[in-house]
Amino acid sequence: MIVVQYQNTGGATAYNAQARISAVDPFTSNDDTAFLGTMAPGDVKAGVVRGLGRFRATAKSYGSIPK
């Protein structure tokens, strides 16, 4: 699940606003759109996209993690 906050920073109301993601390999998604609805100027809404598939990192040495 991905949650992102969107804010209408313009001077006009946004009607039927939608948030979309584009999943690329190694990710997949059955649900790539969050419907935000009507957003007046200054409104903030959370867009939630569910259904991202599992992924694996490429097997290689990534080095040590700094302390």
Side-chain angles (χ1 to χ4, degrees):
M1 172 173 44
I2 296 176
V3 179
V4 179
Q5 283 195 330
Y6 294 90
Q7 181 175 15
N8 180 353
T9 60
T13 299
Y15 297 96
N16 300 313
Q18 299 178 14
R20 293 182 183 262
I21 64 164
S22 296
V24 295
D25 193 36
F27 299 99
T28 59
S29 177
N30 298 349
D31 176 17
D32 61 357
T33 304
F35 296 95
L36 304 174
T38 299
M39 295 182 67
D43 278 358
V44 176
K45 292 190 177 182
V48 179
V49 178
R50 303 182 199 294
L52 288 178
R54 294 179 185 232
F55 70 97
R56 296 175 188 243
T58 302
K60 67 177 190 176
S61 174
Y62 290 95
S64 61
I65 298 173
K67 292 184 179 186

